[in-house]
Amino acid sequence: GSVGNVYMSYKLAGVLTLLLGVIGAGMEKRFLRDAADEALDAAVSSGPTLHLLALLNAHTRHRRPSAASKAAVLQERCLGNLRVGTVVNGGLQGDAASIDTMLLIRSLKWGLEGREQAGRDAARKSCRRLQRAVGATRFGELVDQSLEKDTRGSCNR
């Protein structure tokens, strides 16, 4: 029932946080980092994509640059799994219709401002996916609405 779903959601959030924390660990724990990396990749390949995307949104501003970068990369893969942007101006279809676009755009902004190139590239690709899906005009409106308290607006560059 719903209690089971809430519990699984809580557990998934905890596991995701733990694995991203391991990704951000020092090089002396490389074998753990590699295992965490594989587990995260497997989760995105086979897990509840929409739920993972929602959980990843907060992690693009992780205090450890490598973890933030990994979150942005996984976020882009989730958007790909949800087929966001495969139909130009097709909107957000299927499960993707449930995406909180305001939260996603704020998260992408953090990804674009990250310190690691892989994360910035993934966030840029995610912005392009979203823009293809909703159209340039709507994308600009969403960015303005999402970032109205922030004058920098990295997503619109």
Side-chain angles (χ1 to χ4, degrees):
S2 68
V3 172
N5 290 341
V6 169
Y7 179 72
M8 287 305 293
S9 175
Y10 172 76
K11 294 301 270 183
L12 182 59
V15 168
L16 185 67
T17 300
L18 175 70
L19 291 173
L20 284 168
V22 171
I23 294 285
M27 288 304 285
E28 70 278 359
K29 297 185 175 108
R30 183 163 187 92
F31 72 100
L32 284 175
R33 287 179 59 195
D34 291 347
D37 203 38
E38 285 181 34
L40 287 165
D41 288 338
V44 169
S45 296
S46 60
T49 304
L50 195 58
H51 191 66
L52 278 168
L53 180 63
L55 293 172
L56 286 165
N57 282 336
H59 290 285
T60 57
R61 76 186 301 183
H62 197 285
R63 64 188 171 89
R64 293 187 170 136
S66 54
S69 179
K70 182 65 177 183
V73 168
L74 294 172
Q75 194 176 42
E76 191 280 323
R77 286 189 43 212
C78 284
L79 291 174
N81 291 349
L82 291 166
R83 305 189 47 72
V84 171
T86 54
V87 178
V88 176
N89 296 324
L92 297 175
Q93 303 173 349
D95 285 346
S98 300
I99 291 173
D100 180 341
T101 52
M102 302 295 213
L103 183 59
L104 176 61
I105 287 172
R106 282 192 295 271
S107 176
L108 293 174
K109 176 191 172 293
W110 300 326
L112 290 166
E113 295 172 348
R115 291 198 296 203
E116 293 200 1
Q117 188 66 45
R120 289 194 308 271
D121 290 346
R124 213 171 284 114
K125 189 172 179 184
S126 293
C127 282
R128 285 193 301 267
R129 279 185 182 284
L130 188 56
Q131 184 174 8
R132 256 193 326 272
V134 300
T137 303
R138 181 68 184 132
F139 180 74
E141 292 168 356
L142 287 169
V143 168
D144 289 344
Q145 291 167 14
S146 300
L147 306 178
E148 61 188 8
K149 291 184 179 123
D150 181 0
T151 56
R152 287 176 288 184
S154 313
C155 231
N156 234 353
R157 280 190 218 143

